[in-house]
Amino acid sequence: MVLLLLKRIGFMIFTMIVVSMILFMLLETGLTGDPATRVLGNFASDEQKELWRDQHGYNQPVIVRYAKWLGNFATGDLGTSIRYKGPVKDVLLPRLWSTAILGFWTFAIMIPLSLTLGVLSGMKEGSILDRTISVFGILTTSVPEFASAVFFSALFVFGLKWLPGTSSMAGGFEFKQLLLPAMVLVVYDFGYVARMTRASMAEVMTSQYIRTSVLKGLPYKQVILKHALRNALIAPFTVIMLQINWLLSGVIVVEFFFAYKGFGALLLEASLNNDIALLEACAMVAVVVAVSSQTIADIGYTFLNPRIRFS
Amino acid sequence: MVEKNEKSTKRVHPGVKEMEKSLAEGKCSRREFLRTTTLLGISVTTAYSLASSILGKEILPDLISTAHAGQKKGGALKWGMQVMEMADPATYSWTEKSIVARNIVEYLVETGPDNITRPNLAESWEASDDLKTWIFHLRKGVKWSNGDDFGADDVVFNFTRWLDPKTGSSNLGLFNAMLEETGEKDKKGNPVKRMIKNAVEKVDAHTVRLNLKSAVLSIPENLYNYPTAIVHRDFEKEGGDLTKNPVGTGPYALAQFKVGEIAVLKKRKETYWGDEAFLDEIRFMDLGQDAGAYLAAIASKQVDGIYMLDLTTLEAAKNIPGIKVVSIPSTQTGVIRMKVNKKPFDDIRVRKAVQKCCDVERQLKIAHQGLGVVAEHHHVASIHPEYFKLPQLKPDIAGAKKLLKEAGYPDGIELTCNVGNTDGVWEQNSVAVLKEDCAKAGINIKMNVMPSAQYWDVWTKAPLSLTSWTHRPLAVMVLGLAYRAGVPWNESSYNNSKFDAALDEAEATLSVEDRRVKMEKVEKILQDDAVMVQPFFRSVFTAVSDKVVGFEMHPTRYYLFRKVSLA
């Protein structure tokens, strides 16, 4: 078990180093334009640019620069943002926190809802309830976020006038502003998790040990809660862990549409504005979260599934 | 008449007499009279009174917001607009930056929505008969927010800074008559220029003299161009960042600033030198780059007004109760310019072929829903006072094919046009219409749509691209910025000494009628050299809530909020 943990963590670090190298090569070696021009602007003289390159170590060999960059990154120095004219860390952390709030409420609604409906659906495969939930799940998942965002906006902002149209939180945090983006995310993601849960539950329900439990006279409630549910939740657990990655970078559309100042919008701004330090930091955070959540999912899966744990 | 009103205080430029004569003889319009006489240092009140007297009827200011009876003091205005980094006013390249900054730092003059320039930090000014010497009398008693007195040292510092190539200010193009060539050339082959010694002089603590090498009429109007806000004389010593050290003379102080999120201005506690502002607070709220978000924000009353209304949201906005759509004609335009020193546009036949394909009527109708006026590919609009009407260039596909063949492209040519939609998707639509028109002549244009911020990285470099140019009240201003040899914003790298000389001559001509005649040559050279495809000038729009009182739409979107209040 310890070996497995060490292997996973080792692989996680290796993946992050490889991604950091690719990122560095793409963004710091002039492949996407001259960094000096990006920082100093188009009207800067050649002398000014040369001085800047010298001051910021851009005249050193790439490998030396990469080592320094990685060292700074590991010690929490994420560089300076061109767009925000300040340390990347100061911009990044509040944005991550904003997305975490949005993610928390999305998960808080979506997970119980999709698990409950998925289990109910999978308990009696082919029933009216199953078909209704399945059709609804397919429908919501197949509507892209930008379309449901427009639909909800037209309905709740322009039509019923119930909700604010944007979620910039410029006047401070307001829960009302969180509703529309969270609603779009829940609707989009709910169908996917619910259908995974349904499939898993339906499979478990057809297994021999469940049939045995029913035939030996155990109450149906006990069969479901004690025997079926635990095994049926293994697959959705992995899916839910993957949704953390999706929430972090996949919310770009929703954050852009509702002007929500989160991590997704920041990633987009960084790329649109050639803000290399910010882009690197955002990309690395996304990688760290993706790799970490995947590692946790793998470890969690091992705990939940004795066949893996004891093999 | 003039003497009776103003002689007791200062000398009156002889050009004012000429303008009086032109107005009386019907050779210039009332607006041209007002504009020119105020530029020559006559106060707006006197100019209106003169016009009334000559025309025999009362002429009242229009398009100027005056304090409405019953305007309330207090309250916070919420304005939806991108909040951008705005460290150095001299290097601004986005109007949005100046909209926040102009409430903190101010300009020597103010050009209103009526295109008439009025005193501001400069109380008055006078020009020599040959328009080569300008004296600005600065307002006394104006205090910086750090307690210092505003004076000539501040103005001299700003001019010196703008005209230092190291600053990287676009103002270099505006004040060319204060520059001299060093004899050196930059890497692009353009002459390196520096400020002429004593081009700006401190006469006394509140008087500054500008000594120009050639006559320029538009000096006062140039001083309201958005990168000409006057910063404190110690701006650089204090770090050169307005957001970190927001010292200004304006009615508001910067209370909070976060790029991409919010800028909060609060009314200064000390007495402001001008009329007291109504609003206690102005909150600029960044709602990103999606036009739909701005519409949703104003519809749900999250903001009281927005920076701009995109064409895509115009019709929807008109149908939302509680908000009003405000529009104004302007000289804002999209210039599809060709870089004359880069292949294949170094061959005038290729440039002319592209120009010949353009159908300006179709462009305006499709790309901008017909909201504007058609143009003639020389960047001078019919609402510019010095506009000289040239014959409209009709589409000539056969002519375009012939020119292409002569240029060595008998089978057509492949081009790439960059577009950044910096002012809306109409830019992309304009390139799309040109693409369709050019395809008829075998010119295959590939559209390269890029994010707006990235567009500004390449706008002076790409061989073919559409750049959105903002409104400027005089044509000579924009032509000086964009087409004079070697100036920073000359994105087409156009370099024609005959054009420069003709523009110098037009700039130095006081009489609008005479200037218009000289502009024929200027416009013709630009049109004949086929530097650009410039199909139309567009009207501009925005939306404000019904509860906003005293808001003044400006063709350059130079919004001022000190006269605005909330109902």
Side-chain angles (χ1 to χ4, degrees):
Chain A
M1 190 64 203
V2 176
L3 191 67
L4 177 86
L5 270 175
L6 289 174
K7 265 187 187 173
R8 284 285 165 204
I9 291 166
F11 184 70
M12 190 173 100
I13 293 167
F14 175 73
T15 311
M16 286 193 274
I17 289 174
V18 170
V19 174
S20 74
M21 283 169 84
I22 296 170
L23 262 178
F24 187 84
M25 293 304 286
L26 280 175
L27 301 174
E28 292 272 357
T29 54
L31 285 173
T32 50
D34 178 15
T37 309
R38 273 199 296 265
V39 175
L40 300 175
N42 284 326
F43 302 127
S45 66
D46 292 334
E47 290 75 22
Q48 280 175 300
K49 288 182 199 170
E50 194 50 42
L51 189 68
W52 185 89
R53 281 189 208 103
D54 203 42
Q55 281 173 345
H56 292 82
Y58 274 83
N59 290 330
Q60 291 174 327
V62 175
I63 190 74
V64 177
R65 280 168 49 211
Y66 172 71
K68 276 188 183 171
W69 176 80
L70 200 62
N72 287 341
F73 220 92
T75 53
D77 178 4
L78 307 182
T80 305
S81 159
I82 302 167
R83 176 166 159 77
Y84 291 90
K85 301 271 175 195
V88 166
K89 205 162 55 175
D90 295 353
V91 184
L92 186 63
L93 294 178
R95 294 295 195 102
L96 264 175
W97 180 241
S98 295
T99 295
I101 294 171
L102 177 61
F104 171 79
W105 286 107
T106 304
F107 271 39
I109 301 164
M110 187 267 289
I111 292 175
L113 185 75
S114 50
L115 288 184
T116 309
L117 293 179
V119 168
L120 286 175
S121 186
M123 271 163 54
K124 284 186 181 172
E125 206 179 353
S127 64
I128 293 176
L129 182 70
D130 174 34
R131 289 187 182 181
T132 310
I133 293 170
S134 293
V135 168
F136 187 65
I138 293 168
L139 196 75
T140 54
T141 309
S142 58
V143 176
E145 292 139 294
F146 66 83
S148 50
V150 170
F151 175 75
F152 288 140
S153 205
L155 183 66
F156 295 111
V157 179
F158 292 94
L160 300 169
K161 301 186 195 312
W162 286 353
L163 295 173
T166 58
S167 315
S168 71
M169 310 283 177
F173 182 79
E174 199 184 359
F175 191 74
K176 210 161 62 167
Q177 290 188 33
L178 206 62
L179 288 176
L180 276 177
M183 205 186 289
V184 171
L185 292 171
V186 167
V187 165
Y188 182 72
D189 214 22
F190 136 81
Y192 182 57
V193 179
R195 281 181 57 73
M196 286 300 291
T197 312
R198 178 206 171 271
S200 182
M201 187 70 185
E203 195 189 337
V204 170
M205 289 304 284
T206 56
S207 58
Q208 297 291 341
Y209 77 95
I210 294 291
R211 195 175 297 173
T212 310
S213 306
V214 173
L215 288 175
K216 80 175 181 184
L218 280 179
Y220 191 63
K221 196 177 167 187
Q222 199 179 337
V223 173
I224 297 295
L225 292 177
K226 204 171 174 186
H227 299 285
L229 206 54
R230 181 172 168 168
N231 284 332
L233 289 182
I234 295 174
F237 171 75
T238 316
V239 171
I240 289 165
M241 289 308 289
L242 284 172
Q243 299 314 296
I244 296 174
N245 303 335
W246 168 77
L247 254 183
L248 203 61
S249 49
V251 292
I252 292 176
V253 173
V254 173
E255 291 189 349
F256 178 74
F257 188 91
F258 293 108
Y260 187 74
K261 306 293 175 187
F263 179 79
L266 187 69
L267 187 63
L268 183 70
E269 277 174 50
S271 57
L272 292 181
N273 292 285
N274 271 342
D275 195 336
I276 299 303
L278 189 57
L279 191 57
E280 285 166 349
C282 288
M284 282 309 291
V285 166
V287 170
V288 169
V289 172
V291 177
S292 310
S293 60
Q294 198 53 56
T295 307
I296 294 168
D298 286 352
I299 296 166
Y301 194 81
T302 313
F303 272 107
L304 287 169
N305 193 338
R307 276 178 297 185
I308 297 175
R309 193 162 70 231
F310 297 115
S311 64
Chain B
M1 267 177 296
V2 175
E3 285 79 359
K4 197 164 75 181
N5 288 328
E6 304 218 352
K7 196 172 180 178
S8 57
T9 53
K10 62 177 185 179
R11 158 191 179 278
V12 172
H13 195 280
V16 175
K17 275 278 169 215
E18 283 178 39
M19 292 304 298
E20 283 184 67
K21 197 169 161 231
S22 293
L23 182 67
E25 290 171 0
K27 288 180 181 170
C28 77
S29 70
R30 171 177 62 92
R31 185 157 291 174
E32 285 158 6
F33 173 82
L34 293 169
R35 188 203 311 256
T36 310
T37 52
T38 49
L39 283 182
L40 291 171
I42 292 291
S43 73
V44 177
T45 320
T46 309
Y48 270 100
S49 123
L50 278 174
S52 302
S53 155
I54 293 165
L55 297 173
K57 59 180 179 184
E58 195 179 7
I59 308 291
L60 293 171
D62 52 0
L63 282 165
I64 308 291
S65 86
T66 46
H68 295 238
Q71 262 186 284
K72 287 182 198 163
K73 281 184 187 168
L77 177 85
K78 287 173 280 177
W79 195 258
M81 185 182 81
Q82 282 194 67
V83 176
M84 301 177 173
E85 166 282 318
M86 49 166 223
D88 184 356
T91 59
Y92 286 176
S93 52
W94 290 79
T95 311
E96 288 94 324
K97 299 181 182 191
S98 77
I99 290 177
V100 181
R102 73 180 59 241
N103 296 285
I104 308 163
V105 283
E106 297 182 295
Y107 295 79
L108 288 178
V109 300
E110 255 180 37
T111 304
D114 55 356
N115 279 330
I116 291 172
T117 299
R118 296 169 172 79
N120 201 42
L121 285 178
E123 201 168 33
S124 64
W125 55 87
E126 50 198 275
S128 63
D129 294 358
D130 62 0
L131 297 173
K132 285 185 179 176
T133 308
W134 288 81
I135 296 173
F136 285 85
H137 302 281
L138 307 178
R139 203 173 289 278
K140 289 173 184 159
V142 177
K143 291 264 186 198
W144 290 97
S145 53
N146 65 359
D148 290 348
D149 284 319
F150 162 75
D153 289 332
D154 297 301
V155 177
V156 172
F157 166 77
N158 277 274
F159 266 99
T160 311
R161 195 165 170 269
W162 298 338
L163 302 183
D164 180 349
K166 282 181 192 157
T167 307
S169 173
S170 63
N171 291 334
L172 278 173
L174 278 180
F175 299 102
N176 186 57
M178 296 170 78
L179 301 174
E180 63 182 0
E181 291 185 11
T182 59
E184 294 166 15
K185 296 212 168 182
D186 64 16
K187 281 191 175 173
K188 294 173 191 165
N190 294 319
V192 175
K193 293 180 180 180
R194 66 177 165 220
M195 191 174 86
I196 300 168
K197 206 177 170 192
N198 294 328
V200 54
E201 277 182 287
K202 175 183 172 181
V203 177
D204 61 41
H206 288 92
T207 312
V208 170
R209 180 164 48 226
L210 306 185
N211 302 306
L212 316 183
K213 66 179 179 192
S214 58
V216 181
L217 171 66
S218 60
I219 287 291
E221 284 186 340
N222 287 348
L223 288 168
Y224 197 52
N225 194 41
Y226 66 92
T228 60
I230 301 294
V231 295
H232 189 274
R233 53 192 173 272
D234 290 335
F235 179 74
E236 281 187 342
K237 281 186 207 159
E238 301 290 337
D241 188 336
L242 190 68
T243 58
K244 289 184 180 149
N245 188 31
V247 176
T249 56
Y252 290 92
L254 190 65
Q256 189 188 349
F257 185 77
K258 273 187 106 173
V259 175
E261 291 185 27
I262 194 166
V264 180
L265 302 174
K266 292 204 169 171
K267 191 151 82 170
R268 267 172 64 181
K269 290 191 178 76
E270 319 87 80
T271 312
Y272 174 58
W273 63 264
D275 293 335
E276 191 188 348
F278 291 103
L279 298 163
D280 284 342
E281 192 175 298
I282 308 168
R283 301 175 77 83
F284 294 95
M285 295 159 69
D286 193 315
L287 305 174
Q289 295 179 22
D290 180 22
Y294 287 87
L295 187 70
I298 194 167
S300 57
K301 301 185 177 14
Q302 284 183 293
V303 292
D304 305 307
I306 55 176
Y307 170 69
M308 67 179 270
L309 199 55
D310 193 75
L311 266 185
T312 54
T313 51
L314 180 63
E315 282 310 308
K318 285 178 184 168
N319 295 317
I320 297 172
I323 66 169
K324 54 191 170 208
V325 172
V326 199
S327 76
I328 197 166
S330 83
T331 63
Q332 293 203 26
T333 182
V335 175
I336 305 172
R337 96 292 180 281
M338 293 166 271
K339 207 156 177 69
V340 299
N341 59 353
K342 278 199 178 169
K343 279 193 178 303
F345 301 112
D346 53 348
D347 187 332
I348 190 171
R349 292 169 296 190
V350 176
R351 303 201 300 266
K352 274 190 177 292
V354 175
Q355 209 180 54
K356 275 179 183 291
C357 294
C358 177
D359 183 341
V360 292
E361 303 280 357
R362 214 169 85 84
Q363 277 272 356
L364 178 62
K365 194 176 161 192
I366 298 172
H368 214 260
Q369 298 177 12
L371 301 165
V373 289
V374 290
E376 295 151 3
H377 310 300
H378 50 60
H379 211 153
V380 182
S382 54
I383 58 171
H384 279 135
E386 64 268 63
Y387 167 75
F388 184 94
K389 181 156 179 57
L390 293 182
Q392 190 70 254
L393 293 183
K394 297 283 175 201
D396 176 11
I397 302 299
K401 281 182 179 168
K402 188 169 170 273
L403 281 168
L404 271 187
K405 197 175 172 187
E406 285 171 16
Y409 303 100
D411 303 322
I413 187 169
E414 302 278 325
L415 302 172
T416 299
C417 184
N418 294 304
V419 56
N421 291 332
T422 55
D423 265 332
V425 286
W426 62 268
E427 295 178 22
Q428 186 179 329
N429 295 341
S430 179
V431 177
V433 175
L434 183 69
K435 177 186 165 78
E436 283 175 15
D437 289 342
C438 282
K440 296 171 196 164
I443 302 172
N444 182 20
I445 297 179
K446 188 181 153 203
M447 278 170 66
N448 182 22
V449 183
M450 51 175 62
S452 56
Q454 281 178 15
Y455 179 78
W456 294 119
D457 284 345
V458 299
W459 78 289
T460 55
K461 294 168 192 152
L464 179 68
S465 53
L466 184 148
T467 299
S468 177
W469 281 82
T470 193
H471 167 92
R472 292 203 166 68
L474 295 181
V476 288
M477 288 171 74
V478 71
L479 297 186
L481 273 171
Y483 306 101
R484 191 175 256 129
V487 293
W489 283 6
N490 183 343
E491 54 173 338
S492 57
S493 298
Y494 183 56
N495 187 343
N496 183 341
S497 54
K498 282 184 187 161
F499 169 81
D500 290 353
L503 183 61
D504 286 345
E505 218 179 302
E507 267 185 336
T509 308
L510 172 65
S511 152
V512 178
E513 207 184 347
D514 294 346
R515 193 154 19 111
R516 198 177 291 131
V517 172
K518 288 181 178 166
M519 283 301 285
E520 179 187 6
K521 192 176 170 189
V522 174
E523 292 172 18
K524 195 88 180 68
I525 294 174
L526 263 184
Q527 199 187 55
D528 287 349
D529 280 350
V531 182
M532 72 197 101
V533 170
Q534 192 253 321
F536 57 85
F537 290 95
R538 66 195 197 97
S539 299
V540 290
F541 320 90
T542 196
V544 289
S545 145
D546 281 344
K547 70 174 189 176
V548 175
V549 182
F551 173 74
E552 209 168 57
M553 184 61 182
H554 194 283
T556 331
R557 301 189 194 277
Y558 289 174
Y559 305 142
L560 274 169
F561 295 108
R562 62 168 192 257
K563 294 174 190 169
V564 172
S565 64
L566 295 171

PDB file of all heavy atoms in Angstrom, chain B residues 309-325:
ATOM      1  N   LEU B 309     -22.368  50.261 -26.231  1.00  0.00           N
ATOM      2  CA  LEU B 309     -23.388  49.294 -26.607  1.00  0.00           C
ATOM      3  C   LEU B 309     -22.938  48.711 -27.930  1.00  0.00           C
ATOM      4  O   LEU B 309     -22.737  49.431 -28.906  1.00  0.00           O
ATOM      5  CB  LEU B 309     -24.718  50.036 -26.760  1.00  0.00           C
ATOM      6  CG  LEU B 309     -25.985  49.224 -26.719  1.00  0.00           C
ATOM      7  CD1 LEU B 309     -26.087  48.383 -25.465  1.00  0.00           C
ATOM      8  CD2 LEU B 309     -27.182  50.149 -26.797  1.00  0.00           C
ATOM      9  N   ASP B 310     -22.748  47.423 -27.935  1.00  0.00           N
ATOM     10  CA  ASP B 310     -22.302  46.747 -29.143  1.00  0.00           C
ATOM     11  C   ASP B 310     -23.462  46.701 -30.131  1.00  0.00           C
ATOM     12  O   ASP B 310     -24.619  46.662 -29.739  1.00  0.00           O
ATOM     13  CB  ASP B 310     -21.871  45.333 -28.731  1.00  0.00           C
ATOM     14  CG  ASP B 310     -21.105  44.648 -29.811  1.00  0.00           C
ATOM     15  OD1 ASP B 310     -19.933  44.986 -30.019  1.00  0.00           O
ATOM     16  OD2 ASP B 310     -21.697  43.769 -30.457  1.00  0.00           O
ATOM     17  N   LEU B 311     -23.117  46.691 -31.429  1.00  0.00           N
ATOM     18  CA  LEU B 311     -24.167  46.609 -32.450  1.00  0.00           C
ATOM     19  C   LEU B 311     -25.032  45.366 -32.272  1.00  0.00           C
ATOM     20  O   LEU B 311     -26.219  45.381 -32.563  1.00  0.00           O
ATOM     21  CB  LEU B 311     -23.529  46.535 -33.840  1.00  0.00           C
ATOM     22  CG  LEU B 311     -23.344  47.829 -34.625  1.00  0.00           C
ATOM     23  CD1 LEU B 311     -22.814  47.519 -35.999  1.00  0.00           C
ATOM     24  CD2 LEU B 311     -24.625  48.619 -34.729  1.00  0.00           C
ATOM     25  N   THR B 312     -24.411  44.300 -31.743  1.00  0.00           N
ATOM     26  CA  THR B 312     -25.149  43.040 -31.595  1.00  0.00           C
ATOM     27  C   THR B 312     -26.215  43.126 -30.504  1.00  0.00           C
ATOM     28  O   THR B 312     -27.129  42.318 -30.463  1.00  0.00           O
ATOM     29  CB  THR B 312     -24.188  41.882 -31.238  1.00  0.00           C
ATOM     30  OG1 THR B 312     -23.447  42.272 -30.077  1.00  0.00           O
ATOM     31  CG2 THR B 312     -23.235  41.568 -32.358  1.00  0.00           C
ATOM     32  N   THR B 313     -26.063  44.094 -29.603  1.00  0.00           N
ATOM     33  CA  THR B 313     -27.022  44.203 -28.499  1.00  0.00           C
ATOM     34  C   THR B 313     -27.896  45.459 -28.620  1.00  0.00           C
ATOM     35  O   THR B 313     -28.733  45.710 -27.755  1.00  0.00           O
ATOM     36  CB  THR B 313     -26.290  44.222 -27.143  1.00  0.00           C
ATOM     37  OG1 THR B 313     -25.271  45.222 -27.196  1.00  0.00           O
ATOM     38  CG2 THR B 313     -25.650  42.901 -26.820  1.00  0.00           C
ATOM     39  N   LEU B 314     -27.685  46.214 -29.677  1.00  0.00           N
ATOM     40  CA  LEU B 314     -28.391  47.499 -29.834  1.00  0.00           C
ATOM     41  C   LEU B 314     -29.905  47.333 -29.841  1.00  0.00           C
ATOM     42  O   LEU B 314     -30.621  48.009 -29.101  1.00  0.00           O
ATOM     43  CB  LEU B 314     -27.899  48.183 -31.129  1.00  0.00           C
ATOM     44  CG  LEU B 314     -28.513  49.531 -31.454  1.00  0.00           C
ATOM     45  CD1 LEU B 314     -28.181  50.559 -30.391  1.00  0.00           C
ATOM     46  CD2 LEU B 314     -28.020  50.033 -32.817  1.00  0.00           C
ATOM     47  N   GLU B 315     -30.390  46.443 -30.690  1.00  0.00           N
ATOM     48  CA  GLU B 315     -31.846  46.275 -30.817  1.00  0.00           C
ATOM     49  C   GLU B 315     -32.460  45.771 -29.515  1.00  0.00           C
ATOM     50  O   GLU B 315     -33.518  46.224 -29.106  1.00  0.00           O
ATOM     51  CB  GLU B 315     -32.166  45.307 -31.967  1.00  0.00           C
ATOM     52  CG  GLU B 315     -32.060  45.937 -33.339  1.00  0.00           C
ATOM     53  CD  GLU B 315     -32.815  47.259 -33.475  1.00  0.00           C
ATOM     54  OE1 GLU B 315     -34.024  47.308 -33.147  1.00  0.00           O
ATOM     55  OE2 GLU B 315     -32.196  48.261 -33.881  1.00  0.00           O
ATOM     56  N   ALA B 316     -31.760  44.834 -28.870  1.00  0.00           N
ATOM     57  CA  ALA B 316     -32.268  44.300 -27.595  1.00  0.00           C
ATOM     58  C   ALA B 316     -32.346  45.409 -26.563  1.00  0.00           C
ATOM     59  O   ALA B 316     -33.326  45.522 -25.817  1.00  0.00           O
ATOM     60  CB  ALA B 316     -31.353  43.180 -27.106  1.00  0.00           C
ATOM     61  N   ALA B 317     -31.343  46.272 -26.539  1.00  0.00           N
ATOM     62  CA  ALA B 317     -31.300  47.349 -25.541  1.00  0.00           C
ATOM     63  C   ALA B 317     -32.473  48.311 -25.717  1.00  0.00           C
ATOM     64  O   ALA B 317     -33.027  48.812 -24.741  1.00  0.00           O
ATOM     65  CB  ALA B 317     -29.987  48.104 -25.653  1.00  0.00           C
ATOM     66  N   LYS B 318     -32.844  48.546 -26.955  1.00  0.00           N
ATOM     67  CA  LYS B 318     -33.949  49.485 -27.220  1.00  0.00           C
ATOM     68  C   LYS B 318     -35.264  48.987 -26.633  1.00  0.00           C
ATOM     69  O   LYS B 318     -36.167  49.772 -26.379  1.00  0.00           O
ATOM     70  CB  LYS B 318     -34.098  49.688 -28.733  1.00  0.00           C
ATOM     71  CG  LYS B 318     -33.025  50.566 -29.338  1.00  0.00           C
ATOM     72  CD  LYS B 318     -33.243  50.661 -30.840  1.00  0.00           C
ATOM     73  CE  LYS B 318     -32.117  51.463 -31.508  1.00  0.00           C
ATOM     74  NZ  LYS B 318     -32.159  51.328 -32.967  1.00  0.00           N
ATOM     75  N   ASN B 319     -35.369  47.686 -26.464  1.00  0.00           N
ATOM     76  CA  ASN B 319     -36.627  47.113 -25.976  1.00  0.00           C
ATOM     77  C   ASN B 319     -36.656  46.869 -24.469  1.00  0.00           C
ATOM     78  O   ASN B 319     -37.606  46.281 -23.963  1.00  0.00           O
ATOM     79  CB  ASN B 319     -36.888  45.780 -26.702  1.00  0.00           C
ATOM     80  CG  ASN B 319     -37.111  46.009 -28.177  1.00  0.00           C
ATOM     81  OD1 ASN B 319     -37.811  46.947 -28.561  1.00  0.00           O
ATOM     82  ND2 ASN B 319     -36.495  45.197 -29.018  1.00  0.00           N
ATOM     83  N   ILE B 320     -35.598  47.272 -23.777  1.00  0.00           N
ATOM     84  CA  ILE B 320     -35.581  47.044 -22.323  1.00  0.00           C
ATOM     85  C   ILE B 320     -36.105  48.290 -21.612  1.00  0.00           C
ATOM     86  O   ILE B 320     -35.534  49.380 -21.783  1.00  0.00           O
ATOM     87  CB  ILE B 320     -34.150  46.702 -21.842  1.00  0.00           C
ATOM     88  CG1 ILE B 320     -33.688  45.402 -22.493  1.00  0.00           C
ATOM     89  CG2 ILE B 320     -34.103  46.580 -20.322  1.00  0.00           C
ATOM     90  CD1 ILE B 320     -32.243  45.059 -22.243  1.00  0.00           C
ATOM     91  N   PRO B 321     -37.168  48.159 -20.845  1.00  0.00           N
ATOM     92  CA  PRO B 321     -37.684  49.343 -20.144  1.00  0.00           C
ATOM     93  C   PRO B 321     -36.718  49.817 -19.064  1.00  0.00           C
ATOM     94  O   PRO B 321     -35.985  49.012 -18.488  1.00  0.00           O
ATOM     95  CB  PRO B 321     -39.002  48.839 -19.521  1.00  0.00           C
ATOM     96  CG  PRO B 321     -38.908  47.363 -19.527  1.00  0.00           C
ATOM     97  CD  PRO B 321     -37.954  46.953 -20.590  1.00  0.00           C
ATOM     98  N   GLY B 322     -36.698  51.116 -18.845  1.00  0.00           N
ATOM     99  CA  GLY B 322     -35.855  51.668 -17.775  1.00  0.00           C
ATOM    100  C   GLY B 322     -34.462  52.061 -18.217  1.00  0.00           C
ATOM    101  O   GLY B 322     -33.686  52.570 -17.420  1.00  0.00           O
ATOM    102  N   ILE B 323     -34.130  51.798 -19.463  1.00  0.00           N
ATOM    103  CA  ILE B 323     -32.819  52.269 -19.932  1.00  0.00           C
ATOM    104  C   ILE B 323     -32.996  53.049 -21.236  1.00  0.00           C
ATOM    105  O   ILE B 323     -33.942  52.817 -21.990  1.00  0.00           O
ATOM    106  CB  ILE B 323     -31.789  51.132 -20.127  1.00  0.00           C
ATOM    107  CG1 ILE B 323     -32.180  50.189 -21.254  1.00  0.00           C
ATOM    108  CG2 ILE B 323     -31.560  50.361 -18.880  1.00  0.00           C
ATOM    109  CD1 ILE B 323     -31.049  49.241 -21.627  1.00  0.00           C
ATOM    110  N   LYS B 324     -32.124  53.993 -21.461  1.00  0.00           N
ATOM    111  CA  LYS B 324     -32.192  54.739 -22.718  1.00  0.00           C
ATOM    112  C   LYS B 324     -30.913  54.522 -23.525  1.00  0.00           C
ATOM    113  O   LYS B 324     -29.818  54.467 -22.952  1.00  0.00           O
ATOM    114  CB  LYS B 324     -32.469  56.217 -22.469  1.00  0.00           C
ATOM    115  CG  LYS B 324     -31.520  56.903 -21.526  1.00  0.00           C
ATOM    116  CD  LYS B 324     -32.024  58.288 -21.129  1.00  0.00           C
ATOM    117  CE  LYS B 324     -31.152  58.837 -19.997  1.00  0.00           C
ATOM    118  NZ  LYS B 324     -31.800  59.757 -19.128  1.00  0.00           N
ATOM    119  N   VAL B 325     -31.112  54.397 -24.821  1.00  0.00           N
ATOM    120  CA  VAL B 325     -29.978  54.214 -25.720  1.00  0.00           C
ATOM    121  C   VAL B 325     -29.557  55.597 -26.202  1.00  0.00           C
ATOM    122  O   VAL B 325     -30.388  56.391 -26.628  1.00  0.00           O
ATOM    123  CB  VAL B 325     -30.374  53.315 -26.908  1.00  0.00           C
ATOM    124  CG1 VAL B 325     -29.269  53.276 -27.951  1.00  0.00           C
ATOM    125  CG2 VAL B 325     -30.684  51.915 -26.410  1.00  0.00           C
TER     126      VAL B 325
END
